[in-house]
């Protein structure tokens, strides 16, 4: 099961300065980590960008936040976008912590610091010193490349390089429609105040499908929701009128047929909101918390 969260490149459009923009992105990364999002995708919204903190800034800060602390200096060095990276809250992602001496099979990100002879490399993976590892025959690695290290013991160190996706949160930049069209997109949900209110009954039937197929949830920007970004009228949104049969998406009677914009349904996860505006980072917490519940 894959969980993807989509946020626009205009995510920090209302931030007064770089410090506030960085803090906002830290909350987004925290929400994605807490609710075990696999992919955090920044999609383009050129019409909403202010020019100060564009998609490049947004994705750089989010990628830095998702990088394990022990790799940040080596992987990023000094960059203008990261001037206030020190205020980012720690993610403490469980998938980025290695096993203790009695642990087994945990995975960590590492970075190749040296490529040597005989298919061996030195890798910094957050242990006391870089470790020397064999490169599997099917892998080809270069100096500076991020790799996945499987650690079975830290005292003494027992580890191996594995040809697997990097553990932890992945941050990407891609088109909205491309993200919704991925084979592992699962249930595609547009989070919007104009969507169908999330109710106990709807969640009960939706939970089974998202747990089985995964989900992709898209969010809008401050004062610029998904209808504005997609260039459609809020009144034209045809949200799903019923989720009673969503377990079988191929059946036309399930009430969750994809819309013209690639979503299975438009969902209001903060019905009867008490504030005129729900910030994007707040919407992530509210939406992902609700959709992580299991029937």
């Amino acid at each position: 099961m894959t969980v993807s969260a989509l946020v626009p490149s205009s995510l920090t459009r209302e931030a007064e300065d770089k410090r506030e923009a960085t803090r906002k992105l830290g909350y987004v990364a925290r929400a994605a980590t807490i609710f075990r999002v696999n992919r955090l995708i920044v999609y383009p919204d050129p019409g909403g960008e202010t020019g100060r903190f564009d998609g490049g800034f947004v994705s750089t800060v989010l990628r830095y936040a998702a990088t394990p602390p022990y790799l940040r200096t080596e992987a990023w060095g000094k960059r203008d976008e990261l001037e206030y990276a020190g205020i980012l809250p720690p993610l403490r992602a469980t998938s980025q912590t290695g096993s203790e001496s009695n642990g087994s099979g945990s995975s960590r990100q590492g970075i190749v610091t040296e490529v040597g002879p005989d298919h061996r490399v030195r890798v910094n993976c957050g242990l006391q010193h870089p470790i020397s590892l064999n490169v599997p025959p099917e892998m080809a690695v270069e100096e500076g490349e991020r790799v996945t290290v499987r650690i079975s013991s830290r005292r003494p160190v027992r580890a191996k390089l594995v040809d697997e996706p990097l553990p932890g949160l992945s941050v990407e930049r891609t088109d909205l429609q491309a993200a919704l069209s991925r084979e592992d997109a699962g249930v595609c949900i547009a989070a919007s105040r104009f969507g169908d209110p999330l109710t106990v009954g709807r969640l009960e039937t939706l939970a089974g499908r998202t747990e089985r197929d995964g989900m992709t949830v898209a969010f809008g920007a401050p004062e610029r929701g998904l209808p504005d970004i997609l260039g459609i009228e809020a009144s034209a949104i045809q949200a799903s009128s019923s989720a009673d049969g969503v377990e079988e998406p191929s059946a036309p009677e399930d009430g969750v047929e994809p819309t013209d914009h690639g979503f299975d349904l438009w969902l209001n996860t903060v019905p009867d909101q008490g504030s005129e505006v729900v910030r994007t980072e707040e919407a992530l917490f509210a939406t992902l918390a609700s959709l992580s519940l299991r029937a």
Side-chain angles (χ1 to χ4, degrees), residues 40 215 241 252:
L40 185 56
M215 62 182 174
S241 61

Side-chain angles (χ1 to χ4, degrees), residues 14-294:
E14 92 296 5
E16 294 183 357
D17 52 36
K18 190 185 298 183
R19 182 185 181 91
E20 180 58 30
T22 301
R23 187 188 305 277
K24 181 185 185 76
L25 293 172
Y27 293 143
V28 170
R30 280 286 296 172
T33 302
I34 289 171
F35 297 106
R36 294 187 176 273
V37 170
N38 304 103
R39 284 192 299 256
L40 185 56
I41 296 175
V42 180
Y43 66 86
D45 176 28
E49 294 179 7
T50 61
R52 293 182 301 165
F53 312 120
D54 58 9
F57 172 84
V58 170
S59 60
T60 294
V61 175
L62 288 176
R63 283 179 176 140
Y64 179 88
T67 301
Y70 55 83
L71 293 182
R72 287 177 176 174
T73 299
E74 191 165 6
W76 291 97
K78 291 187 177 181
R79 299 185 57 161
D80 182 64
E81 301 98 316
L82 303 175
E83 180 180 0
Y84 292 102
I87 69 171
L88 290 169
L91 301 188
R92 300 291 298 272
T94 55
S95 58
Q96 294 176 354
T97 58
S99 63
E100 300 298 331
S101 59
N102 61 348
S104 176
S106 69
S107 295
R108 290 169 72 88
Q109 286 191 38
I111 190 168
V112 177
T113 60
E114 181 181 347
V115 177
D118 302 323
H119 299 285
R120 293 190 70 85
V121 293
R122 292 186 69 80
V123 178
N124 173 11
C125 56
L127 301 181
Q128 187 173 4
H129 302 287
I131 57 177
S132 178
L133 298 172
N134 283 317
V135 180
E138 68 276 8
M139 288 184 65
V141 298
E142 300 177 350
E143 186 174 327
E145 183 177 348
R146 301 267 194 105
V147 292
T148 300
V149 178
R150 179 70 57 80
I151 298 177
S152 56
S153 171
R154 294 183 64 176
R155 297 179 184 177
V157 175
R158 294 190 182 93
K160 63 179 180 179
L161 206 61
V162 292
D163 189 12
E164 297 176 358
L166 295 176
L169 176 65
S170 168
V171 180
E172 306 173 12
R173 291 182 70 182
T174 190
D175 180 76
L176 178 62
Q177 295 304 321
L180 297 175
S181 301
R182 298 180 75 139
E183 291 185 1
D184 60 351
V187 185
C188 295
I189 300 169
S192 171
R193 65 183 302 177
F194 301 106
D196 287 344
L198 180 62
T199 62
V200 173
R202 178 177 293 274
L203 180 61
E204 184 177 1
T205 52
L206 185 59
R209 183 176 166 192
T210 57
E211 187 173 12
R212 182 190 66 192
D213 300 335
M215 62 182 174
T216 295
V217 189
F219 299 87
E223 300 179 354
R224 186 172 168 83
L226 280 170
D228 290 331
I229 292 174
L230 293 171
I232 60 177
E233 295 291 335
S235 59
I237 294 174
Q238 297 298 316
S240 168
S241 61
S242 172
D244 291 340
V246 298
E247 289 135 353
E248 296 300 330
S250 60
E253 64 270 16
D254 64 9
V256 188
E257 295 183 358
T259 69
D260 292 339
H261 299 281
F263 294 107
D264 292 311
L265 69 160
W266 289 69
L267 204 58
N268 180 0
T269 56
V270 192
D272 195 26
Q273 63 191 55
S275 173
E276 291 183 5
V277 177
V278 176
R279 297 174 179 175
T280 306
E281 64 271 27
E282 296 168 339
L284 259 82
F285 277 104
T287 302
L288 296 175
S290 300
L291 296 177
S292 68
L293 296 175
R294 296 293 175 251

